[in-house]
């Protein structure tokens, strides 16, 4: 049995006809082949494609593990400073492999807090309070080294570190680890000056495809997660999904790209809802949204990626999903094996009327909730694409990450976009730097225009 299986069991009438399937499979195969051959757009950014198997043997991977051991033994807290692809993957894997309560339930590993992904003053202040009096280490992650949110947080928490150690450079510097580009950038230059150890964000890998590099692996290893298993799972998926399938049903990764394209183009769905029945997978949904949103959303194209946490969100968004605009389909992630075994107990006085559930485990009840929801949504014209993953452990999560990354690249090529760039992210930055008074002629020009056209300064 494959660790990951894709099925179309809850699609209502929305299943491709044979001729549609043939057409779409050809399109997907061409896209897949272009990805493998490096003939598609942005081919220089496919470093992630063969990375898992290569990195297992890499000298840096061994250094990630020894550094994590050191941090685990010495730090009370690890602050991970980064945004977008420089933070979402690590947080997603930590919660997926442990739980959303990682910081409260961890044993013998540091608390891990993520910052540099907001400019909220309140959030900075809360975090300051949380780490006060604790021995905190920093892993700052930025490929460009220039991202404002990350740079501001690094300056702020570095100052706190300096105050804590009264300017003792040796104590301060041994608590800072940098993950950045190997060749250029302010963070790299500063690391050389200060002697901070550095790890590499590979040049041929965008942030959203970087979770299986040192970007994600260092914080993930600090949480006590078996990063070798994580990479082994991804490396196994790399092999499993390598050849473009000849016909539907031979490559789940390519099939997923095919079916979501079918819903999008043939069934006019514009929103893909990533759904899971495990709160520990909420951050994985956030990672998924960045991966697909930033890769596909360009040239007026792409599915809008959203995520829901069921059954919780059935009591908030469930109404819309069932009866609102018919623009949605769901990609539901379920696990075949339970994490624990907690059952509903029978009570003599069946006051709450729950004895009909006696001896049923929560896993079984949750599973029935999934089946019922999938049937109801499919009936309401919100088809379900179901991804069944054998277990919620490092190996399977590694597999799942590779599955989504590769399917995303294939999907981007099917849509005719470059899945590896993100020019659109620059637009807000251009205006923000102008409004913040960043020095430079280009910022001066934008500032003058904003004042003239909108009266904003
Ligand atoms: O996927 C991406 O490339 C982006 O989300 C980046 O990861 C994000 O903008 C952070 O950039 P940087 O690592 O340069 O600070």
């Amino acid at each position: 049995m494959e660790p990951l299986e894709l099925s179309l069991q809850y699609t209502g009438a929305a299943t491709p006809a044979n001729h549609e399937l043939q057409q779409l499979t050809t399109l997907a195969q061409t896209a897949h082949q272009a990805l493998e051959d490096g003939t598609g757009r942005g081919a220089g950014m496919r470093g992630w494609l063969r990375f898992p198997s290569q990195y297992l043997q890499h000298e840096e991977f061994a250094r990630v593990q020894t550094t994590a051991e050191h941090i685990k033994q010495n730090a009370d807290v690890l602050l991970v400073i980064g945004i977008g692809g420089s933070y979402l993957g690590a947080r997603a894997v930590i919660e997926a492999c442990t739980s959303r309560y990682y910081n409260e339930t961890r044993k013998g590993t540091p608390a891990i807090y993520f910052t540099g992904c907001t400019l909220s003053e309140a959030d900075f202040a809360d975090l300051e309070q949380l780490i006060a009096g604790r021995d905190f280490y920093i892993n700052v992650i930025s490929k460009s080294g220039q991202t404002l949110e990350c740079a501001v947080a690094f300056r702020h928490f570095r100052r706190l570190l300096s105050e804590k150690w009264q300017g003792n450079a040796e104590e301060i510097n041994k608590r800072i680890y940098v993950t950045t580009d190997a060749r250029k950038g302010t963070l790299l230059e500063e690391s050389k000056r200060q002697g901070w150890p550095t790890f590499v964000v590979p040049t041929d890998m965008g942030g959203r495809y970087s979770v299986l590099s040192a970007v994600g692996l260092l914080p993930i290893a600090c949480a006590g997660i078996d990063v070798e298993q994580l990479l082994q799972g991804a490396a196994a998926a790399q092999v499993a999904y390598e050849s473009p399938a000849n016909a539907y049903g031979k490559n789940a990764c390519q099939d997923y790209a095919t079916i979501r394209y079918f819903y999008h183009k043939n069934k006019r769905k514009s929103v893909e809802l990533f759904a899971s029945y495990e709160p520990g997978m909420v951050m994985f949904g956030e990672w998924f949204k960045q991966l697909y949103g930033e890769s596909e959303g360009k040239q007026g194209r792409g599915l809008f990626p959203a995520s829901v946490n069921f059954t919780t969100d059935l009591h908030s968004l469930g109404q819309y999903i069932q009866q609102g605009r018919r623009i949605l389909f769901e990609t539901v992630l379920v696990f075949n094996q339970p994490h624990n075994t907690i059952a509903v107990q029978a009570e003599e006085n069946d006051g709450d009327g729950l004895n009909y559930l006696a001896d049923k485990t929560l896993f079984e009840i949750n599973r029935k909730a999934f089946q019922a929801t999938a049937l109801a949504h499919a009936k309401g014209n919100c088809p379900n694409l179901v991804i069944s993953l054998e277990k919620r452990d490092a190996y399977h999560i590694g597999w799942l990450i590779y599955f989504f990354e590769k399917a995303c690249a294939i999907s981007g090529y099917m849509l005719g976009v470059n899945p590896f760039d993100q020019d659109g992210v620059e637009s807000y930055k251009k205006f923000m730097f102008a409004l913040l008074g960043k020095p430079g002629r280009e910022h001066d020009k934008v500032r003058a225009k904003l004042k003239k056209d909108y009266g904003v300064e």
Side-chain angles (χ1 to χ4, degrees):
M1 188 171 165
E2 274 194 48
L4 180 152
E5 290 196 331
L6 182 75
S7 58
L8 294 175
Q9 355 161 16
Y10 302 100
T11 53
T15 309
N18 276 345
H19 72 279
E20 288 175 312
L21 199 53
Q22 254 173 12
Q23 250 177 15
L24 296 179
T25 304
T26 306
L27 181 65
Q29 275 174 0
T30 309
H32 192 170
Q33 199 63 58
L35 179 68
E36 288 291 337
D37 297 346
T39 50
R41 292 167 71 183
M45 296 304 281
R46 293 172 310 131
W48 53 274
L49 196 61
R50 310 261 179 266
F51 196 80
S53 59
Q54 291 164 359
Y55 200 59
L56 274 162
Q57 319 300 331
H58 202 287
E59 159 284 320
E60 191 188 66
F61 181 48
R63 207 157 56 80
V64 162
Q65 290 169 296
T66 46
T67 304
E69 275 315 308
H70 175 81
I71 295 174
K72 271 155 69 179
Q73 274 163 26
N74 293 284
D76 293 333
V77 171
L78 174 67
L79 287 188
V80 180
I81 302 180
I83 193 165
S86 292
Y87 114 94
L88 280 165
R91 189 159 173 201
V93 173
I94 292 171
E95 293 195 13
C97 292
T98 62
S99 84
R100 64 174 158 151
Y101 303 120
Y102 164 77
N103 279 330
E104 291 76 23
T105 55
R106 75 205 148 83
K107 288 191 187 83
T109 55
I112 300 181
Y113 298 115
F114 291 87
T115 184
C117 44
T118 175
L119 290 168
S120 157
E121 195 174 80
D123 201 81
F124 273 54
D126 287 343
L127 189 51
E128 251 186 74
Q129 236 184 44
L130 262 176
I131 64 173
R134 297 163 84 180
D135 193 353
F136 69 94
Y137 282 51
I138 291 176
N139 178 202
V140 58
I141 309 168
S142 177
K143 187 174 188 179
S144 61
Q146 286 174 347
T147 306
L148 186 76
E149 291 87 339
C150 176
V152 167
F154 187 38
R155 180 182 278 211
H156 182 75
F157 288 101
R158 210 170 59 229
R159 186 180 55 74
L160 287 192
L161 204 53
S162 171
E163 280 169 14
K164 183 177 173 72
W165 296 101
Q166 294 157 359
N168 181 330
E170 197 187 332
E171 292 296 341
I172 299 163
N173 289 340
K174 75 179 187 198
R175 288 173 171 78
I176 297 177
Y177 295 88
V178 175
T179 310
T180 191
D181 193 276
R183 283 179 251 168
K184 58 176 184 347
T186 37
L187 207 43
L188 183 70
E189 294 312 317
E190 193 59 11
S191 302
K192 283 184 191 156
R193 271 194 293 274
Q194 304 290 348
W196 299 325
T198 56
F199 294 90
V200 172
V201 187
T203 317
D204 55 1
M205 208 183 278
R208 60 191 177 276
Y209 290 89
S210 71
V211 51
L212 298 171
S213 74
V215 170
L217 294 178
L218 181 58
I220 292 168
C222 288
I225 291 160
D226 188 338
V227 282
E228 186 160 346
Q229 277 300 302
L230 187 75
L231 274 183
Q232 291 287 6
Q238 184 189 316
V239 174
Y241 301 139
E242 200 165 349
S243 321
N246 295 324
Y248 175 65
K250 298 269 174 61
N251 182 324
C253 183
Q254 186 184 296
D255 295 344
Y256 170 57
T258 308
I259 299 301
R260 59 195 296 287
Y261 186 92
F262 165 75
Y263 288 143
H264 186 31
K265 293 288 182 187
N266 300 38
K267 294 289 162 188
R268 302 214 177 124
K269 302 292 184 191
S270 50
V271 178
E272 178 177 17
L273 267 185
F274 172 82
S276 163
Y277 286 72
E278 294 294 339
M281 297 306 288
V282 164
M283 286 309 300
F284 198 90
E286 296 301 309
W287 173 82
F288 167 89
K289 289 193 294 199
Q290 188 209 356
L291 179 63
Y292 281 80
E294 231 169 54
S295 300
E296 287 191 344
K298 46 200 78 160
Q299 296 168 230
R301 300 181 196 168
L303 281 157
F304 183 83
S307 64
V308 282
N309 168 34
F310 288 159
T311 59
T312 310
D313 292 335
L314 289 174
H315 299 260
S316 56
L317 290 168
Q319 170 62 38
Y320 192 102
I321 298 168
Q322 192 68 51
Q323 293 180 340
R325 291 183 65 210
R326 301 293 75 205
I327 54 174
L328 309 163
F329 74 90
E330 283 169 346
T331 294
V332 188
L333 175 70
V334 291
F335 294 94
N336 294 339
Q337 292 186 27
H339 220 50
N340 314 89
T341 314
I342 298 176
V344 175
Q345 301 297 311
E347 283 184 6
E348 206 173 311
N349 164 17
D350 186 20
D352 53 12
L354 283 183
N355 270 0
Y356 76 100
L357 294 176
D359 297 332
K360 279 198 168 42
T361 64
L362 277 171
F363 179 80
E364 290 167 329
I365 298 171
N366 209 11
R367 192 77 183 194
K368 291 289 177 220
F370 146 64
Q371 288 168 341
T373 306
L375 287 168
H377 287 178
K379 214 163 174 306
N381 189 11
C382 174
N384 277 244
L385 236 169
V386 181
I387 294 172
S388 310
L389 197 63
E390 197 45 31
K391 267 166 107 173
R392 214 178 112 196
D393 63 8
Y395 181 89
H396 290 85
I397 295 297
W399 184 295
L400 187 67
I401 287 170
Y402 191 86
F403 168 87
F404 276 126
E405 286 181 347
K406 187 160 189 185
C408 181
I410 296 173
S411 291
Y413 282 165
M414 289 177 79
L415 279 175
V417 301
N418 176 355
F420 307 121
D421 65 3
Q422 61 278 329
D423 294 358
V425 182
E426 296 311 309
S427 303
Y428 96 93
K429 290 186 191 167
K430 202 169 83 180
F431 292 159
M432 178 177 70
F433 288 136
L435 294 178
L436 284 170
K438 188 170 179 175
R441 278 176 56 130
E442 46 168 336
H443 304 302
D444 292 344
K445 268 167 96 179
V446 178
R447 193 159 38 248
K449 187 148 175 49
L450 286 178
K451 188 168 179 194
K452 183 165 162 278
D453 292 354
Y454 301 100
V456 179
E457 51 188 321

